[in-house]
Amino acid sequence: MKIREEIETVGSNKVSRVLAFSPKSSGMIPRFLTLMAVIIIIAMLAIIMANIFIGGVGTLSWEFLSRPPEQGMEAGGVFPAIFGTVALVLLMVIAVLPVGVLTAIYLQEYTRPDSKTTRLIRIAINNLAGVPSIVFGLFGLGFFIGFVGGGIDKVFSSSAGPVWGQPAIIWAALTLAILTLPVVIISTEEALRTIPRELKDASYALGGTKLQTIRRIILPQALPGIFTGSILAISRGAGEVAPIMFTGAAYYLPYLPQRLNDQFMELGYHIYIMATQSPDIEATKPILFGTVLVLLLLTFMLNLVAIMIRSRMRKRRANV
Amino acid sequence: MSEDIILAEEEKAKISLPESGPTGKNRLKMTVEKLNFFYGKNQVLFDISMDIQEHMVTALIGPSGCGKSTFLRTLNRMNETIPGVRMEGTIRLDGTDIYKDFDDPSAVRTRVGMVFQKSNPFPKSIFENVAYGLRVNGIKDRRIITEVVEDSLKRAFLWEEVKDKLENNAYMLSGGQQQRLCIARALAIRPEIILMDEPASALDPLSTSKIEDLIGELKKNYTIVIVTHNMQQAARISDYTAFFYEGILIEFGPTRKIFTKPGKKKTEDYITGRFG
């Protein structure tokens, strides 16, 4: 009996000793490691931003924003590239939103979430999200330009050479739309999922059909989520170079794109060209930094506008 | 205990309950025949047959999970919004089979309205909430809509409280007001029957009694089927009571009879609070 008691005391002493030390040793190290990871990320971001800002801010001027490139890109501005980027992203959003939103509605409202078809579609969407962007570029070249554009040219056979079967802003925008489709689908689906069942039930119980319920109750409720999807798509699409380099972006154009089948200049592609193809890289460096800064600011601005619209919509929804 | 005492007890019970029940001049509004209902492979309703009298309040009682809410939702085809359900049997509304003779469930639902357990107004203005049913049913005339909205809110005893703030969001109303708004919304499409799924279970006593008064008023023009957990409520407001247990309709009859002389042991046990 006594021995047993002793063992128990010793045992519990040991336990309490371990317990007394463990919070310190096991608490500090993970905390330190996780903090380090955070610091690394923030430092990276700070270095990138500072570098771009310091390098580019001197170049930034009204002249730079409003003039085309001059003297083999060693002077002048980036206006055609800004214009091209905005036009490209807008066309992309116009193309991706309806398809993405309708897909999400189909998945959420018209199929059973556990059915085989739904799961297959979801796998397809996830795979689409994982495809490298250069593959999208080649796909755009083969499918949109070669097949669709070439086909249109064949049907309306024009002797003057390709009209649609050549790189153009519409094909670049459609290629980007496919690239950003998963983002729109997934964020719209998330928004649809959060709509309470009770609201749909109320609509059905009042004699609303499925279509009426979607149009009058579900879509208005999901709008902020759909906007989030567009914001993410814009951020993603505006910075991509690989999908547009074969499908429509031009090295240098003396004019702005006027029609859907015109080529265009784009900031990301312009940066790539200046960084790799310029005859005198040192001479173009300030302009290069300036262009990067403009691209960043433009993306931030597009995001900001979309976020402002979204929060205004949320507010309006919360207290009419 | 002598027989006299038992009879006297019964007399007392009779007096404390509302004088209502079948009067002979009522006609059948809905008939349910041999209803079986399944969630996937799981059967939740067994062979239920039941008649619903016009201009009467029929209460469905029973412990949680007994199938009374599921049964209620079969009466306006709301069960069809849930995937993977299956139904057998016939439900007739004025003699018309609501499953076979109506192509579109929404057509049934304009005649058989519904009020839910949790008040579920749309995130729209008070006016638009009531107008919704009219709009989805193709009524565009602004004058008619305005008239019906006012009339429905008056019938739901809500008009005086909201007439100056019809454009406010419905979420700014109290819980009890929201539930009366949902009733007004259901009334706006002029249904013949109103199904209520525990409409007062989430409300305070004062709001509950308002809803109960409202039900008493509404039965003059509508036929009401109400699911309730509250036995006193069933006794207070209903003319007929159906007791469900584990998916089976154990007993169905005039409320007075069910609460004073239940025919089955199970019913008596439930009503006297021995289980459930």
Side-chain angles (χ1 to χ4, degrees):
Chain A
M1 205 56 201
K2 211 173 180 191
I3 294 168
R4 203 181 179 167
E5 241 166 50
E6 228 162 61
I7 291 170
E8 265 171 14
T9 342
V10 171
S12 67
N13 273 347
K14 222 179 215 168
V15 169
S16 57
R17 220 180 305 140
V18 171
L19 282 178
F21 281 98
S22 62
K24 275 185 192 161
S25 53
S26 68
M28 286 303 283
I29 292 172
R31 191 192 161 88
F32 177 74
L33 284 176
T34 48
L35 184 66
M36 277 308 290
V38 171
I39 288 172
I40 289 171
I41 287 174
I42 292 177
M44 282 302 168
L45 185 69
I47 290 168
I48 293 172
M49 297 305 263
N51 198 10
I52 292 170
F53 190 76
I54 293 164
V57 75
T59 324
L60 228 49
S61 66
W62 178 244
E63 289 277 283
F64 184 68
L65 293 174
S66 63
R67 295 190 60 79
E70 284 153 20
Q71 299 166 29
M73 299 190 192
E74 282 173 27
V78 288
F79 178 68
I82 296 176
F83 182 89
T85 306
V86 173
L88 175 75
V89 167
L90 285 181
L91 281 174
M92 174 200 77
V93 169
I94 292 170
V96 75
L97 265 192
V99 180
V101 170
L102 288 176
T103 308
I105 288 176
Y106 177 75
L107 287 174
Q108 279 297 312
E109 306 296 331
Y110 285 97
T111 62
R112 284 173 66 180
D114 52 343
S115 78
K116 229 181 210 158
T117 340
T118 318
R119 253 182 291 165
L120 271 176
I121 296 170
R122 245 178 257 281
I123 290 170
I125 292 166
N126 287 337
N127 278 325
L128 197 63
V131 172
S133 53
I134 187 77
V135 178
F136 282 108
L138 290 170
F139 169 77
L141 178 64
F143 181 75
F144 287 125
I145 297 176
F147 183 71
V148 181
I152 294 173
D153 280 348
K154 230 175 256 167
V155 172
F156 306 98
S157 59
S158 49
S159 50
V163 179
W164 292 99
Q166 59 172 359
I169 190 164
I170 180 74
W171 305 135
L174 289 179
T175 309
L176 273 187
I178 295 178
L179 176 93
T180 52
L181 198 52
V183 178
V184 175
I185 294 172
I186 289 165
S187 49
T188 306
E189 267 203 278
E190 228 135 74
L192 293 176
R193 249 194 297 270
T194 59
I195 297 169
R197 235 206 104 71
E198 288 86 22
L199 285 187
K200 298 181 209 173
D201 275 357
S203 172
Y204 291 134
L206 291 166
T209 61
K210 185 142 205 162
L211 191 64
Q212 286 170 328
T213 305
I214 289 173
R215 206 168 67 80
R216 291 169 181 266
I217 303 296
I218 297 177
L219 272 186
Q221 286 284 296
L223 266 188
I226 293 170
F227 249 90
T228 310
S230 337
I231 294 169
L232 293 171
I234 287 171
S235 312
R236 178 90 201 273
E240 285 286 349
V241 175
I244 60 168
M245 55 199 289
F246 310 126
T247 52
Y251 183 95
Y252 172 75
L253 281 179
Y255 56 87
L256 297 175
Q258 310 276 316
R259 290 175 301 266
L260 289 177
N261 62 341
D262 279 341
Q263 291 193 37
F264 62 103
M265 291 183 75
E266 200 260 359
L267 285 166
Y269 188 63
H270 193 59
I271 292 165
Y272 164 73
I273 294 295
M274 280 194 294
T276 58
Q277 315 285 308
S278 163
D280 184 355
I281 289 185
E282 276 311 307
T284 50
K285 207 168 191 175
I287 295 186
L288 179 60
F289 268 105
T291 312
V292 173
L293 188 58
V294 169
L295 176 59
L296 273 183
L297 291 178
L298 189 71
T299 317
F300 287 161
M301 236 170 55
L302 287 172
N303 277 349
L304 201 69
V305 170
I307 289 169
M308 266 158 42
I309 294 173
R310 180 180 62 178
S311 72
R312 182 180 291 177
M313 262 186 325
R314 277 204 182 131
K315 228 180 259 163
R316 213 181 46 197
R317 216 164 44 117
N319 47 13
V320 172
Chain B
M1 208 187 277
S2 79
E3 240 179 88
D4 284 351
I5 296 174
I6 296 173
L7 278 174
E9 294 250 325
E10 259 176 23
E11 275 309 312
K12 240 196 278 166
K14 246 183 219 166
I15 291 159
S16 69
L17 285 164
E19 277 302 324
S20 54
T23 53
K25 63 182 176 187
N26 293 302
R27 64 185 200 93
L28 292 183
K29 188 68 189 167
M30 264 190 141
T31 55
V32 181
E33 282 163 47
K34 299 214 161 69
L35 179 76
N36 285 292
F37 194 83
F38 305 82
Y39 286 117
K41 286 185 183 118
N42 193 14
Q43 184 165 7
V44 291
L45 291 175
F46 298 85
D47 216 25
I48 295 187
S49 296
M50 187 167 154
D51 294 333
I52 291 160
Q53 307 273 349
E54 193 170 35
H55 296 313
M56 291 284 158
V57 178
T58 303
L60 311 178
I61 59 169
S64 301
C66 68
K68 55 193 190 301
S69 288
T70 304
F71 176 73
L72 191 76
R73 292 170 77 97
T74 61
L75 299 180
N76 67 342
R77 294 179 67 170
M78 276 301 284
N79 50 6
E80 290 179 12
T81 62
I82 304 161
V85 300
R86 191 162 60 82
M87 200 198 91
E88 291 164 1
T90 314
I91 299 176
R92 289 178 203 283
L93 169 63
D94 288 337
T96 320
D97 189 324
I98 64 166
Y99 283 83
K100 295 204 180 74
D101 299 340
F102 286 88
D103 293 331
D104 192 349
S106 63
V108 176
R109 293 175 196 144
T110 56
R111 292 181 61 185
V112 187
M114 190 163 200
V115 176
F116 297 85
Q117 177 174 9
K118 226 176 91 191
S119 62
N120 53 357
F122 299 123
K124 298 172 184 279
S125 70
I126 293 168
F127 184 91
E128 281 307 319
N129 261 281
V130 184
Y132 184 85
L134 301 171
R135 295 195 196 281
V136 296
N137 285 294
I139 294 168
K140 293 200 177 74
D141 189 328
R142 178 86 198 169
R143 216 187 59 242
I144 294 176
I145 292 177
T146 313
E147 249 168 52
V148 174
V149 167
E150 180 176 340
D151 177 64
S152 307
L153 285 168
K154 278 178 179 161
R155 281 166 190 254
F157 297 147
L158 192 60
W159 176 251
E160 287 304 318
E161 292 158 60
V162 300
K163 64 181 177 192
D164 299 323
K165 43 183 182 181
L166 291 176
E167 293 311 314
N168 285 9
N169 193 303
Y171 286 179
M172 289 164 90
L173 297 174
S174 73
Q177 288 174 324
Q178 286 189 15
Q179 192 60 303
R180 275 180 284 146
L181 178 67
C182 291
I183 293 174
R185 187 175 65 179
L187 297 178
I189 52 172
R190 304 274 155 86
E192 296 152 45
I193 301 179
I194 302 169
L195 310 177
M196 297 185 169
D197 192 354
E198 301 188 44
S201 68
L203 301 179
D204 60 273
L206 190 67
S207 304
T208 302
S209 85
K210 275 187 188 165
I211 300 270
E212 287 181 7
D213 292 347
L214 178 55
I215 291 170
E217 203 52 43
L218 289 176
K219 80 173 191 185
K220 291 174 190 162
N221 298 304
Y222 306 89
T223 304
I224 292 169
V225 184
I226 180 170
V227 165
T228 177
H229 258 120
N230 183 333
M231 224 78 64
Q232 285 83 29
Q233 187 173 64
R236 274 196 303 267
I237 62 174
S238 74
D239 304 297
Y240 288 89
T241 297
F243 172 56
F244 283 74
Y245 184 69
E246 292 184 344
I248 297 164
L249 178 59
I250 303 284
E251 196 170 348
F252 175 52
T255 298
R256 198 173 29 167
K257 180 178 174 298
I258 299 277
F259 277 87
T260 54
K261 280 187 280 187
K264 302 266 170 65
K265 178 86 171 53
K266 240 238 135 109
T267 317
E268 192 182 345
D269 287 352
Y270 183 69
I271 285 165
T272 52
R274 236 163 277 167
F275 75 95

